[in-house]
Amino acid sequence: MRRAFQGISLIFGHCFCISLIEVNSRAEEKLLDRKINPTAMRMLVLDFLLGKQSAISLSDIERGLYPADRTTIYRTLKTFGQNGLIHIIDDGTGTPKYALCVDECAENEHQDAHVHFYCTTCKETFCLPDHKIPQIILPSHFHFAEMNLTVKGICGKCSN
């Protein structure tokens, strides 16, 4: 089910003439489920993320939503992360990537500790949600902060 969204939004001096852009009602529903106010920019960013098969960088989102303001997109991503809607991936490239979380994630409590795959050919990063990161039991004087597991190689699309 899709609906048309029409409006004009001023964000940091940029005028977005959003005329009859189809915005997925699923995006609005996901935002409301996480108690996130569904502003025009949040709906556009989430709809953009919903259309991606791999994790993407802030620059990728910025290019895809040009002329959207980088700071506004970053703040939107930060809000999404704090509310368990997306997770940030460190794939070893030095550029954080963003991907949607599983539905079980909640505010400040991510439940999708899965493996990520970075393709060295196409430079895309993929979530592998069926491959969970094994639980690591640390010595008593070590304190866990975060965990990340990225496998690097050639993806199925590039190996064909």
Side-chain angles (χ1 to χ4, degrees), residues 57-123:
S57 69
L58 174 60
S59 296
D60 293 333
I61 298 168
E62 186 180 20
R63 277 190 296 277
L65 298 178
Y66 181 81
D69 179 72
R70 182 179 188 87
T71 303
T72 303
I73 295 170
Y74 175 78
R75 288 181 181 152
T76 297
L77 293 171
K78 187 174 178 180
T79 297
F80 288 179
Q82 290 169 339
N83 288 281
L85 191 56
I86 63 167
H87 61 281
I88 301 170
I89 303 160
D90 176 2
D91 61 7
T93 63
T95 302
K97 304 291 187 325
Y98 303 90
L100 294 171
C101 285
V102 295
D103 289 335
E104 291 78 23
C105 288
E107 184 176 346
N108 295 317
E109 190 178 323
H110 292 277
Q111 301 295 324
D112 57 352
H114 57 262
V115 175
H116 295 97
F117 185 90
Y118 176 76
C119 178
T120 55
T121 301
C122 67
K123 312 295 185 220

Side-chain angles (χ1 to χ4, degrees), residues 102 104 111-115 128-135 147 149:
V102 295
E104 291 78 23
Q111 301 295 324
D112 57 352
H114 57 262
V115 175
L128 302 176
D130 293 335
H131 302 280
K132 303 295 182 200
I133 296 176
Q135 184 176 359
M147 187 171 12
L149 179 57

